[in-house]
Amino acid sequence: MRIWIPFPRITGWTFEDRAMTMATAANDYASASKQPEVTRRTHPRMAMSSPPPASNTSANAANDVSGEPSRAQWAEIVQQLGAEIAGPLSAALERIHHLVNTGQIDRQSLRALRESVTQAREAGMIGQQLARLASGRLRLSRERMHLTQILRSVLAQRSRETQARGIQVRQVLKSVEVMTDGSLLFALLNALMDWALSSTHSSIDLRLDLSPWPPKARLVCRFAHRPLDLIDASSTSGMPLALNSLAWRLVEQTAITMGVLPLREDEAGITVLTLEFPHTVGEELDSAEGAAEADLARELELERRQERGYLPSSNSKPLAGSHLLIISERRELRTQIQNSVQHMGLIIDIVASVSEATQFCLEGLPHGIIFEHSLRGPEFEMLLADLRREVPHFCFIEVLDAQHLTQLSTATADGLARISRFHLTDALPSMLMFELSKGH
């Protein structure tokens, strides 16, 4: 009996080319050393969270207050990136060789093969986001953002994933607004959830409040990084590798880029991360002067975007890391959609039918769905209603074959954005920027 399990799409090289290349590269990277578990505080400007214990210089770097990561620190991140890609691909290559030699593979091995490819793919996508942060060419905006609402939106978006993993997210959220870059704020909150979900052995506690004085927004994330029955204050076992993985690097570097203070404490099996935002909207911004300042910031940002004309830019990818699902039976349409948004730094998955999309969404929701018009029917309407029950402003974009006026979701009766395939190249990027940001 043949078993089919959909694999994540990897463009460019063939899977075996990538696997063999990264398996060779694995020999060039040293294994990450394990450390005894101790109470540890990560300084806001410390780019590396777990310096090698053998080096006094590295240990002192833990309290480095320099504004930007050093070349050596970025080199270590690149080294870790290579290792986290090479490791899973080496395991996958070994299973492929076994399949070639025997002509057989069981369900367990096939599942492990798929998981290895997924892990390598996720590491590669995190690497792309880290490269964007390391470029030093990001142009940050300063916008008034309702942190509480955006956090709740992210949690609603991730609710299926947390339920599938059996992880409870407990929230105590005070209403807080901050002045920050909206796209990076959304990226930071999603990166935080990625890291916490991959590291926790318990529920995840999120608390959002204000520091006493001066009042600054503080987002606190707390979870157990080892099984609760093994937590022991005197434990000297090594820190779990997931705690200092690339997912953590992305949280850390995104926060530093935004000027957000990340303070992490690991003690007795419990991890507590506090993110302190430097510019919190207080009562002073409710005054006429404060409101004028906020309006001016929004006007300047609008002028900057209009000057750019939303043209593709390697310096600024406001949607980088957002997850898009394409539903289309036709390869040429899928390729056309991908080519239209390839400069935007999006994470793209592809399925060929609504039933596959439904199965895909059971494991976790993307941030938006683009689908071809011919797939509309009762099954699609069920998927639409199901997703909108969880996320009322979920992004759906319908692609039509015929000439059609480009319509945003706010201009249609059913709330679906529509675009003709003839206008994908020139209009889809701007449409995505609006549709994916409207619910944040």
Side-chain angles (χ1 to χ4, degrees):
M1 178 180 65
R2 293 190 299 176
I3 303 171
W4 180 83
I5 295 181
F7 276 69
R9 181 179 178 85
I10 301 179
T11 58
W13 295 348
T14 64
F15 171 77
E16 190 160 358
D17 287 338
R18 288 175 180 255
M20 294 185 69
T21 300
M22 295 314 300
T24 301
N27 297 325
D28 297 333
Y29 297 103
S31 300
S33 57
K34 294 185 177 180
Q35 304 176 59
E37 183 173 350
V38 294
T39 301
R40 182 172 60 77
R41 290 176 177 263
T42 302
H43 196 276
R45 294 299 183 187
M46 187 194 85
M48 306 310 301
S49 54
S50 56
S55 171
N56 292 333
T57 302
S58 296
N60 293 334
N63 296 314
D64 183 14
V65 295
S66 61
E68 297 295 335
S70 68
R71 289 187 178 182
Q73 289 168 333
W74 276 118
E76 187 173 341
I77 291 179
V78 172
Q79 184 181 31
Q80 183 176 355
L81 171 63
E84 289 196 23
I85 294 176
L89 287 185
S90 296
L93 184 59
E94 183 178 344
R95 295 187 184 278
I96 290 175
H97 286 324
H98 177 75
L99 174 61
V100 171
N101 292 334
T102 64
Q104 297 178 342
I105 188 168
D106 55 29
R107 284 182 179 270
Q108 184 177 359
S109 297
L110 190 58
R111 186 178 300 110
L113 178 60
R114 180 174 184 251
E115 290 174 355
S116 295
V117 177
T118 300
Q119 290 171 8
R121 178 177 183 258
E122 290 174 350
M125 292 187 297
I126 292 176
Q128 290 178 324
Q129 296 177 68
L130 286 169
R132 174 178 174 243
L133 298 174
S135 69
R137 296 176 297 182
L138 288 178
R139 299 170 61 183
L140 304 185
S141 64
R142 192 165 180 260
E143 305 167 273
R144 185 169 181 169
M145 309 298 297
H146 200 297
L147 179 55
T148 311
Q149 292 180 359
I150 295 174
L151 178 56
R152 284 176 176 153
S153 172
V154 169
L155 294 176
Q157 195 91 29
R158 308 295 292 265
S159 61
R160 290 195 177 200
E161 184 179 356
T162 56
Q163 292 170 9
R165 298 188 185 201
I167 298 173
Q168 181 184 9
V169 180
R170 298 185 293 204
Q171 313 167 38
V172 180
L173 308 179
K174 183 175 182 178
S175 181
V176 175
E177 290 183 285
V178 295
M179 298 293 292
T180 189
D181 183 276
S183 61
L184 279 185
L185 175 61
F186 184 68
L188 174 64
L189 297 179
N190 270 292
L192 173 64
M193 289 302 299
D194 287 337
W195 172 66
L197 287 171
S198 65
S199 304
T200 185
H201 287 268
S202 66
S203 60
I204 298 174
D205 294 331
L206 294 175
R207 186 178 78 251
L208 180 60
D209 59 14
L210 295 173
S211 59
W213 185 261
K216 293 185 177 181
R218 296 182 306 187
L219 174 58
V220 181
C221 175
R222 183 182 185 276
F223 58 85
H225 62 250
R226 63 178 67 256
L228 296 177
D229 56 347
L230 298 180
I231 290 180
D232 182 356
S234 63
S235 173
T236 58
S237 59
M239 296 285 287
L241 293 179
L243 209 55
N244 293 310
S245 63
L246 283 174
W248 162 246
R249 304 296 190 200
L250 184 58
V251 173
E252 190 176 43
Q253 297 305 323
T254 304
I256 289 173
T257 301
M258 297 171 64
V260 172
L261 174 75
L263 177 64
R264 188 179 124 193
E265 301 176 73
D266 304 313
E267 183 177 12
I270 301 296
T271 291
V272 180
L273 172 65
T274 302
L275 298 174
E276 185 175 283
F277 292 80
H279 305 294
T280 301
V281 178
E283 293 182 358
E284 69 279 2
L285 278 182
D286 291 332
S287 65
E289 181 181 353
E293 179 184 342
D295 290 339
L296 177 60
R298 283 194 292 269
E299 289 175 7
L300 290 175
E301 172 62 11
L302 179 59
E303 290 176 4
R304 180 176 66 82
R305 292 185 178 184
Q306 289 174 340
E307 288 173 0
R308 283 210 316 264
Y310 290 107
L311 294 177
S313 168
S314 59
N315 296 343
S316 179
K317 298 179 179 180
L319 296 181
S322 295
H323 189 183
L324 191 65
L325 178 65
I326 299 174
I327 314 174
S328 175
E329 298 174 334
R330 295 175 291 174
R331 177 176 296 179
E332 67 275 10
L333 180 57
R334 297 196 298 259
T335 302
Q336 186 178 357
I337 295 172
Q338 283 183 285
N339 291 340
S340 300
V341 299
Q342 63 182 352
H343 63 277
M344 301 181 71
L346 299 169
I347 300 168
I348 296 177
D349 276 295
I350 294 175
V351 294
S353 67
V354 176
S355 60
E356 289 182 22
T358 302
Q359 185 64 35
F360 182 95
C361 291
L362 289 176
E363 300 177 6
L365 294 184
H367 297 118
I369 290 178
I370 298 181
F371 66 99
E372 63 172 297
H373 171 74
S374 62
L375 295 177
R376 293 208 61 168
E379 191 175 15
F380 175 83
E381 297 302 325
M382 289 179 60
L383 175 64
L384 175 66
D386 190 26
L387 297 191
R388 286 196 165 166
R389 272 194 297 270
E390 291 188 36
V391 185
H393 299 290
F394 191 88
C395 168
F396 281 94
I397 299 178
E398 183 177 6
V399 180
L400 299 96
D401 284 328
Q403 286 285 357
H404 191 279
L405 181 67
T406 299
Q407 294 178 301
L408 298 176
S409 58
T410 52
T412 61
D414 55 7
L416 299 181
R418 291 184 175 85
I419 186 172
S420 168
R421 64 176 302 177
F422 298 106
H423 301 151
L424 288 174
T425 301
D426 57 345
L428 183 58
S430 296
M431 174 178 280
L432 278 171
M433 289 185 69
F434 174 81
E435 296 296 336
L436 292 179
S437 63
K438 66 178 181 181
H440 302 160

